[in-house]
Amino acid sequence: MTESRPFYHDGMRALQDRFDGRRVADRLAQHRRRYDFWDADRAMIEAAPFFFIATSFGDYSDCSMRSGMPGFVKIVAPGSIEFPEYDGNSMYRTLGNISRNPNVGLLFVKFDGITARIRINGRAALRHDADTLGRHHAAKLVVRVECELFSNCPRAVHDLQGGRLSGYLPRPGYDPPAPEWKSRDYIKQILPQNDPHRGE
């Protein structure tokens, strides 16, 4: 997948401008948006036992989870992944939406409180040729996704494995620390005027 549209639409831009976030949004897109896998992406995706997927068509929207043994999501080309559709409940909400609208959103997250999330905005296609099916044990169909990738910091991710909620989330009587990304050279001088960590 190559860049074919702006990363932000006018609704996103309006809110960025309302809260003085356009500079940060543009800088994050410049430094974090990509069309091939970084080493950390590859390691996380290839070891993932699940991910979340959002699809839509007209008034129908759906968010689901796909699970499998680690390795069930395969990187098959630069910027391209595949995952199998296993036996399920016969509703075909995810695949049905994809058959009408190829735009999908995927989220890979490791609930350890430290690993960055990988967000994929992609274009999906349903594959059922013998070669593709042969790469995926027990697949009824295979979904191939051409990826636009963007990684997010893990500050809002709870450490479910360790039984700890994120220490970066606000609550009464507690001021969360600044996340690491706000101290990066390409960000720290352009934080919004009302950012609680501006100037730290």
Side-chain angles (χ1 to χ4, degrees):
M1 185 173 180
T2 57
E3 183 172 349
S4 59
R5 58 166 177 75
F7 195 49
Y8 304 114
H9 61 63
D10 60 351
M12 299 169 184
R13 286 302 197 187
L15 288 164
Q16 291 167 10
D17 291 342
R18 178 180 174 186
F19 294 103
D20 190 34
R22 184 183 283 246
R23 296 181 309 278
V24 172
D26 286 344
R27 198 63 58 85
L28 288 172
Q30 177 187 353
H31 284 266
R32 309 303 286 179
R33 183 188 194 189
R34 55 199 180 276
Y35 297 91
D36 200 359
F37 305 99
W38 290 348
D39 289 345
D41 302 331
R42 185 175 293 275
M44 185 173 181
I45 290 169
E46 292 180 336
F50 69 90
F51 65 91
F52 300 100
I53 181 168
T55 61
S56 67
F57 175 65
D59 291 337
Y60 293 87
S61 59
D62 195 72
C63 184
S64 187
M65 185 176 77
R66 290 295 183 266
S67 299
M69 299 302 292
F72 83 108
V73 181
K74 300 186 185 307
I75 295 174
V76 294
S80 298
I81 61 171
E82 289 179 351
F83 63 89
E85 179 71 9
Y86 296 132
D87 177 60
N89 57 20
S90 295
M91 290 194 294
Y92 295 103
R93 295 184 59 83
T94 299
L95 269 58
N97 280 344
I98 290 171
S99 74
R100 297 295 186 263
N101 174 13
N103 298 303
V104 297
L106 280 64
L107 175 65
F108 287 83
V109 59
K110 186 176 181 181
F111 289 102
D112 61 2
I114 58 172
T115 303
R117 294 167 286 164
I118 302 170
R119 296 167 67 166
I120 294 175
N121 304 313
R123 294 183 64 81
L126 305 181
R127 305 284 293 267
H128 56 83
D129 59 280
D131 286 345
T132 303
L133 289 171
R135 288 194 289 270
H136 301 274
H137 176 73
K140 296 174 69 172
L141 290 170
V142 170
V143 180
R144 183 170 179 142
V145 181
E146 305 299 318
C147 303
E148 171 192 80
L149 298 107
F150 178 80
S151 51
N152 274 132
C153 90
R155 73 170 167 168
V157 177
H158 301 301
D159 178 7
L160 299 186
Q161 298 167 1
R164 292 181 298 274
L165 299 180
S166 172
Y168 290 95
L169 300 178
R171 56 186 181 270
Y174 173 74
D175 292 322
E180 175 276 329
W181 69 269
K182 288 188 179 183
S183 66
R184 293 177 187 162
D185 289 340
Y186 63 89
I187 291 291
K188 63 185 178 181
Q189 300 302 322
I190 60 169
L191 290 171
Q193 291 293 328
N194 62 351
D195 190 286
H197 307 112
R198 185 180 174 89
E200 289 186 5

